[in-house]
Amino acid sequence: MSATAEILKTELSETGNESNALTDGFHLLIDALKLNDVETIYGVPGIPITDFGRMAQAEGIRVLSFRHEQHAGNAAAIAGYLTKKPGICLTVSAPGFLNGLTSLAHATTNCWPMILISGSSEREIVDLMQGDYEEMDQLAVAKPLCKAAYRILHAQDIGIGVARAIRAAVSGRPGGVYLDIPANLLGQVMDEVEGAQSLVKVIDPAPAQFPSPIAVNRALEVLKAAKKPLIILGKGASYAQCDELVQGFVEKTGIPYLAMSMAKGLLPDDHPQYAGAARSLVLKESDCVMLIGARLNWLLSHGKGKQWGEPNSKKFVHIDIDPKEMDSNQPIDAPLVGDIESCLTALMDGMGGDWSKSDAAWLGAIQEKAEANVAKMAPRLQNNSVPMDFHGALGRLKRIFTDHPDTILVNEGANTLDFARSVIDLHKPRKRLDVGTWGVMGIGMGTAIAAAVETGHPVVAVEGDSAFGFSGMEVETICRYNLPICVVVFNNSGIYRGTDINDVGADPATTVFVKEAKYDMMMQAFGGVGVTANSPDDLERAVREAIASRKPTLINAIINPEAGTESGRIGNLNPQSVVSKK
Ligand code: ADP
Ligand code: TZD
Ligand code: MG
């Protein structure tokens, strides 16, 4: 027993407390997390949280150790999205904390619940800037980058601290929360019974938020008056996990819909009302757009510009849990503030039984356009060229995802991302996990690991070769935990293309990599399966085998280095220099 524990024991017995049993910060923190159903922690060990990780594991929490905190954090962020419970990331002080902070900011930007728990140095030394081991005022650094940030200084406050963190992460618009754990908190001792009494089980952490009846009626009036309505489903709608209600609402209205990237599969992508293959037409010509858990941010060109047709030609209905989202980019005619489940339930009730479905001419025009676009694309998806292009490779993956609707697709890159998003259909909710609102490269392996851990389903991560490089070392983590993950690296030997040449010096161009690097050997190095695929046939065979075997697999898919375009589909966002080049 430590000296402090001895003193405390004596004090407690002097005050008449005879239980004598003690607990400490380590155990209180573990008990607080367990009491609130935390099952998994993603992190990297080190001072001062190594023993905490060990003890949590011994107490039945699954603790997954990563090679870099950013990927542990990305795992926690996507675990939050998939489960509606905060994903937990555990890091060491200053540098480990900073590595984890990127993913905490990413979770916040995407409205996903996550808690970054980080060990920190002693307050007294940090605040006097006396140069402690890994000294940093972490709370101050975290604050502007997440939804809420708390520090716990006393063991008796651990229960409340954890409760606040959980509620802040999941209630209202979900987001990232920072929880600062100074090293000496973990060793603080208190009476075991009092400790247990100090813990808090959070009741109803994300309370339903009902829309006002006036707002519901207003929304129904706007929808009723529309001649060419359109629904846009965003990842807030898939996060809400009221899948049948969303499907029921879309079908009852008969309104055609678009799905934002991670909302794909919320209704099956081959649904007759899905207007994905006629995206330009519906955005331009619709007269009323209903956003359900989607923001009018850059991903929707802020709801304006040529893509959106004539200015002021549309009315907007917007469901979001955050009132500040209304009128953020366009005036909203019918704001519906509340959680999606409550809002859609109220709308369904208000619609009654005799809601007349959307105009047949509008649906017919969309269907005609969609069919023409699908027919135009079909031969490209069937091409069997060697070296492969994006479409030849993705045409095969599309078939595989249709045959395996439970398999989760993780996707990042530029061309690899944009083409895979439009080619691969998903048939169930929350099966597509990608770069999210920021377009972050590096989410790949952390996301794949959490997807496999949280769902038990096989994961196929379709990765640009650059994108993969950001988190590639985590293939060791995949092998160590023997996860059913198949990484497909779309290897075009570079960022966007593998063909750039630097004609003014000896260094390679900034966007090219070692030609046809053997990424498959990285997986082999740790005991997994590594394969090179030169043709669509090779690729299809290897992916099917990986899904069936559930063995960690990396397929190095050699893609024609000329096949991609600068920045994929968002090349227009690159600033142009007005100074003529040499
Ligand atoms: P996408 O990128 O798919 O368009 P966004 O991340 O931009 O989606 O938007 C998701 C929106 O969903 C956010 O504005 C968030 O506040 C909202 N949201 C998240 N969960 C819920 C919920 N349960 N009910 C209502 N809105 C939600
Ligand atoms: N760093 C981070 C964290 N995120 C980013 N989005 C970028 C850099 C910039 N970036 C992109 O937006 S896409 C991309 C980078 C570096 C890589 C594209 O190359 P790729 O994909 O090999 O992954 P394709 O298929 O070759 O286009
Ligand atoms: Mg590439």
Side-chain angles (χ1 to χ4, degrees):
M1 193 179 291
S2 72
T4 5
E6 287 287 3
I7 296 165
L8 190 80
K9 199 169 158 189
T10 321
E11 278 175 5
L12 288 170
S13 57
E14 280 167 5
T15 56
N17 185 324
E18 295 302 330
S19 89
N20 279 348
L22 298 175
T23 187
D24 60 15
F26 286 104
H27 289 94
L28 285 166
L29 187 53
I30 293 165
D31 292 346
L33 294 171
K34 280 178 69 175
L35 183 65
N36 287 290
D37 305 318
V38 168
E39 292 166 10
T40 311
I41 293 176
Y42 302 91
V44 176
I47 296 170
I49 47 87
T50 314
D51 270 347
F52 175 76
R54 287 196 186 107
M55 289 179 198
Q57 191 174 46
E59 295 287 336
I61 294 180
R62 190 161 192 207
V63 183
L64 290 116
S65 277
F66 281 65
R67 306 300 293 259
H68 187 291
E69 292 85 354
Q70 194 175 116
H71 313 309
N74 286 328
I78 209 72
Y81 170 71
L82 289 170
T83 64
K84 294 187 88 175
K85 296 194 309 193
I88 310 287
C89 177
L90 178 67
T91 62
V92 304
S93 351
F97 155 78
L98 286 173
N99 286 343
L101 197 54
T102 305
S103 49
L104 189 70
H106 168 66
T108 308
T109 297
N110 283 281
C111 316
W112 300 337
M114 166 179 171
I115 302 174
L116 173 64
I117 301 179
S118 182
S120 61
S121 313
E122 299 316 334
R123 289 259 31 94
E124 294 79 355
I125 305 178
V126 172
D127 289 350
L128 275 173
M129 299 173 71
Q130 292 174 310
D132 203 358
Y133 169 68
E134 297 191 344
E135 176 181 296
M136 173 178 271
D137 186 358
Q138 295 170 199
L139 187 70
V141 173
K143 253 181 200 161
L145 297 172
C146 58
K147 187 176 168 191
Y150 306 108
R151 172 158 51 224
I152 307 176
L153 290 176
H154 304 294
Q156 61 267 32
D157 293 332
I158 287 176
I160 285 291
V162 169
R164 296 215 73 190
I166 290 174
R167 196 176 281 285
V170 297
S171 60
R173 170 182 277 180
V177 176
Y178 175 60
L179 193 58
D180 193 85
I181 305 291
N184 76 9
L185 175 73
L186 294 169
Q188 282 179 28
V189 181
M190 72 185 284
D191 175 72
E192 191 179 38
V193 175
E194 285 172 18
Q197 286 166 352
S198 73
L199 299 185
V200 179
K201 165 96 181 163
V202 182
I203 315 267
D204 193 13
Q209 295 191 16
F210 299 100
S212 83
I214 295 172
V216 173
N217 285 336
R218 189 189 293 121
L220 287 171
E221 289 309 315
V222 174
L223 285 176
K224 226 180 264 172
K227 297 269 179 295
K228 297 177 173 182
L230 170 70
I231 288 173
I232 300 181
L233 301 172
K235 60 182 174 297
S238 38
Y239 172 80
Q241 293 201 20
C242 52
D243 308 331
E244 281 173 20
L245 184 60
V246 174
Q247 177 152 0
F249 175 77
V250 170
E251 288 178 349
K252 186 166 177 182
T253 61
I255 298 175
Y257 72 94
L258 292 176
M260 299 302 288
S261 197
M262 285 179 61
K264 276 171 69 87
L266 182 45
L267 280 77
D269 284 353
D270 55 4
H271 194 282
Q273 286 167 253
Y274 186 43
R279 191 174 191 276
S280 315
L281 178 118
V282 290
L283 281 182
K284 200 166 188 179
E285 296 197 0
S286 53
D287 63 356
C288 171
V289 174
M290 178 180 199
L291 299 154
I292 306 181
R295 285 170 284 186
L296 275 180
N297 56 15
W298 72 279
L299 287 157
L300 283 168
S301 2
H302 307 279
K304 51 195 165 198
K306 237 172 56 198
Q307 205 187 343
W308 284 82
E310 292 299 314
N312 308 319
S313 62
K314 292 181 208 318
K315 297 223 178 273
F316 284 98
V317 179
H318 194 170
I319 300 183
D320 204 290
I321 201 156
D322 188 347
K324 292 197 304 298
E325 197 51 45
M326 304 299 149
D327 308 321
S328 60
N329 287 270
Q330 288 294 320
I332 301 297
D333 300 276
L336 211 45
V337 175
D339 70 274
I340 288 166
E341 186 168 1
S342 302
C343 290
L344 290 183
T345 305
L347 287 171
M348 290 283 256
D349 289 349
M351 282 162 80
D354 58 346
W355 185 267
S356 57
K357 294 214 172 175
S358 285
D359 186 44
W362 171 231
L363 293 175
I366 296 167
Q367 203 170 358
E368 197 178 313
K369 184 76 189 167
E371 279 168 10
N373 283 343
V374 168
K376 212 159 59 185
M377 181 63 84
R380 294 180 69 189
L381 296 179
Q382 280 157 17
N383 92 63
N384 209 9
S385 314
V386 175
M388 289 186 273
D389 62 21
F390 289 95
H391 288 90
L394 288 166
R396 301 308 183 95
L397 296 183
K398 177 186 168 86
R399 284 191 215 164
I400 295 173
F401 276 91
T402 299
D403 294 346
H404 295 276
D406 281 318
T407 297
I408 294 174
L409 171 64
V410 171
N411 191 198
E412 60 176 337
N415 293 277
T416 303
L417 177 85
D418 291 341
F419 288 130
R421 187 198 297 113
S422 62
V423 171
I424 299 177
D425 286 342
L426 284 311
H427 305 272
K428 293 189 177 184
R430 296 171 294 282
K431 294 298 182 191
R432 187 186 153 82
L433 309 175
D434 67 25
V435 296
T437 300
W438 265 345
V440 188
M441 296 302 110
I443 53 89
M445 297 306 101
T447 302
I449 289 168
V453 166
E454 299 289 338
T455 71
H457 291 304
V459 176
V460 175
V462 178
E463 301 271 313
D465 51 344
S466 164
F468 171 69
F470 286 74
S471 67
M473 192 63 209
E474 301 294 346
V475 296
E476 189 276 331
T477 313
I478 294 172
C479 290
R480 186 162 21 103
Y481 293 101
N482 193 25
L483 296 169
I485 295 171
C486 171
V487 183
V488 181
V489 177
F490 272 31
N491 186 356
N492 61 353
S493 301
I495 296 175
Y496 315 136
R497 294 164 69 84
T499 49
D500 271 10
I501 290 168
N502 169 15
D503 47 17
V504 296
D507 282 343
T510 55
T511 54
V512 301
F513 298 147
V514 167
K515 291 267 170 273
E516 298 193 9
K518 296 184 170 30
Y519 294 104
D520 43 319
M521 293 174 76
M522 289 175 66
M523 193 59 105
Q524 289 171 3
F526 304 106
V529 177
V531 189
T532 299
N534 287 301
S535 67
D537 284 344
D538 290 353
L539 175 63
E540 180 166 357
R541 199 176 318 114
V543 176
R544 285 190 189 274
E545 205 167 302
I547 292 174
S549 73
R550 296 177 64 93
K551 285 188 192 152
T553 301
L554 192 150
I555 301 165
N556 188 23
I558 306 296
I559 303 285
N560 186 340
E562 293 175 2
T565 55
E566 179 98 356
S567 303
R569 290 215 183 132
I570 52 172
N572 59 311
L573 300 181
N574 283 307
Q576 301 292 317
S577 169
V578 291
V579 179
S580 61
K581 287 186 210 156
K582 272 197 276 183

